[in-house]
Amino acid sequence: MVENDNKTVVVTGADGFIGSHLTEALLARGYKVRALAQYNSFNNWGWLEDVAPREGLEIVCGDVRDADFCRMLVRGADTVYHLAALIAIPYSYVAPDSYVDTNIRGTLNICQAARDAGVGRVVVTSTSEVYGTARYVPIDEGHPRQPQSPYSATKIGADAIAMSFYNAFDLPLVIARPFNTYGPRQSARAIIPTIITQIATGAPKLKLGDLTPTRDFNFVADTAAGFIALGETPGLEGREINIATGTEISMADTLETIARLMGVKLTDVVTDPERLRPAKSEVNRLCGDNKLITTLTDWRPRYTLEQGLERTIEWFSRPENLAKYKPDIYNR
């Protein structure tokens, strides 16, 4: 294990799905973690509520849309992992302006704050959605960007803002581009939690969207390990790097795999029109090229899809976890 006892890292979006897992992984590696949860009047820390309190964890509430707050947040940090973002694609159709504020301006604020504070490494979170539906596979980092949703457009903009700080100001920055992450704590807006929670609650009909697209699924522990590899490996400044398995599976085959692992026979699956993206906005195929990350770092995906799904199903099937979800309501 790397000796990290005297190193402080900041994780924005630590209250979210990937951010909470990354926070746990960094603590396990000996880092002191300043974890940002979005401010709310309930003093609720999101998924950090499920992270056991431990020495080295400092939870801060605030908002990346505030530049002065960001300067305070990153002061004294060795590394910043910037994950805070609005990520739900369906909600970006109805509230795009909020995505510009959080995703683009929030990234600008973090980059400016990190530059002013002399942070040693900034890892900015992108998404495979910036590529749009694949023009070729596997999708490498040179694939054209295609803004097929307001969400993906703001992430393309955020990536550009971040890279401009590397080019103009030598901010030591890496852009992490994870493909489709799944696992415990994921939002019900995503396909895998949607399937598992409906089956686990005995829904008479499974309401789903388009089952023809393919995705490159990363188990969340592998995604978190990818972030850490990009934060720790020297010489990656100015790179945009995929975190991907290099494999793809259709939504229909994902559904069948989950049903088999949960021991159920699917009898009634219906297409819910509310869950369909506009035709030109659907990303039909994603399969990532991971040659860059596996060449430049020691990262490798450790979990097969079935291994990751087994752990995900087990977590969602616990009554105390399932109670946190509303499978009968479509979550944008």
Side-chain angles (χ1 to χ4, degrees):
M1 186 174 94
V2 177
E3 183 57 55
N4 299 309
D5 289 348
N6 295 316
K7 293 184 178 180
T8 296
V9 299
V10 168
V11 179
T12 73
D15 51 342
F17 162 46
I18 299 175
S20 62
H21 285 277
L22 176 59
T23 296
E24 288 181 309
L26 288 163
L27 289 167
R29 290 181 69 80
Y31 287 101
K32 295 175 183 176
V33 180
R34 191 177 303 149
L36 173 62
Q38 186 173 28
Y39 173 81
N40 62 86
S41 61
F42 303 104
N43 199 27
N44 183 281
W45 295 339
W47 286 119
L48 289 173
E49 300 280 355
D50 285 32
V51 175
R54 66 187 79 178
E55 186 177 354
L57 174 60
E58 175 192 5
I59 298 175
V60 178
C61 291
D63 197 318
V64 296
R65 293 174 296 181
D66 188 287
D68 286 338
F69 170 79
C70 290
R71 290 188 181 92
M72 178 190 71
L73 177 70
V74 307
R75 194 174 297 140
D78 296 284
T79 303
V80 172
Y81 293 92
H82 177 47
L83 284 77
L86 289 176
I87 63 171
I89 294 166
Y91 187 58
S92 79
Y93 299 137
V94 298
D97 192 58
S98 61
Y99 283 67
V100 172
D101 275 353
T102 300
N103 297 353
I104 297 179
R105 182 166 296 280
T107 299
L108 171 63
N109 290 341
I110 288 294
C111 288
Q112 184 66 68
R115 178 193 176 206
D116 292 347
V119 171
R121 172 69 61 86
V122 181
V123 180
V124 172
T125 307
S126 182
T127 169
S128 56
E129 285 284 325
V130 303
Y131 296 128
T133 195
R135 295 189 185 183
Y136 58 83
V137 294
I139 298 170
D140 59 24
E141 290 80 0
H143 188 284
R145 279 40 167 178
Q146 301 178 105
Q148 291 181 224
S149 66
Y151 163 67
S152 65
T154 62
K155 294 300 281 185
I156 291 170
D159 291 351
I161 285 288
M163 195 56 67
S164 77
F165 269 72
Y166 168 74
N167 289 323
F169 309 118
D170 290 321
L171 182 67
L173 177 142
V174 181
I175 293 179
R177 187 162 292 127
F179 278 63
N180 301 84
T181 302
Y182 70 98
R185 305 178 191 150
Q186 188 172 19
S187 164
R189 64 174 178 76
I191 182 70
I192 288 175
T194 294
I195 295 169
I196 295 172
T197 55
Q198 288 188 69
I199 292 175
T201 54
K205 294 181 179 180
L206 259 65
K207 296 180 180 179
L208 301 172
D210 189 352
L211 296 179
T212 60
T214 69
R215 294 293 184 262
D216 184 331
F217 285 118
N218 282 304
F219 186 58
V220 66
D222 282 336
T223 299
F227 272 94
I228 293 172
L230 298 184
E232 292 182 344
T233 305
L236 302 184
E237 291 80 7
R239 297 274 197 165
E240 302 179 50
I241 301 178
N242 291 339
I243 304 174
T245 68
T247 62
E248 63 183 317
I249 183 172
S250 71
M251 299 297 96
D253 288 342
T254 302
L255 170 61
E256 290 183 8
T257 302
I258 293 171
R260 174 171 55 80
L261 292 173
M262 295 184 74
V264 298
K265 195 168 189 178
L266 298 173
T267 57
D268 204 349
V269 179
V270 299
T271 299
D272 181 359
E274 190 179 14
R275 300 170 193 253
L276 297 174
R277 297 194 200 183
K280 290 187 292 185
S281 187
E282 180 60 82
V283 173
N284 296 311
R285 190 179 186 190
L286 285 174
C287 180
D289 188 327
N290 64 14
K291 289 188 182 70
L292 198 55
I293 191 171
T294 57
T295 299
L296 297 175
T297 79
D298 61 2
W299 180 86
R300 303 290 185 277
R302 292 177 48 226
Y303 292 86
T304 66
L305 180 61
E306 290 210 6
Q307 289 171 335
L309 285 175
E310 286 171 352
R311 286 160 175 77
T312 305
I313 290 166
E314 189 277 328
W315 185 89
F316 274 98
S317 297
R318 292 181 210 159
E320 66 271 22
N321 295 330
L322 191 58
K324 298 173 183 176
Y325 290 81
K326 301 177 179 71
D328 56 327
I329 299 174
Y330 175 48
N331 183 350
R332 286 185 179 273

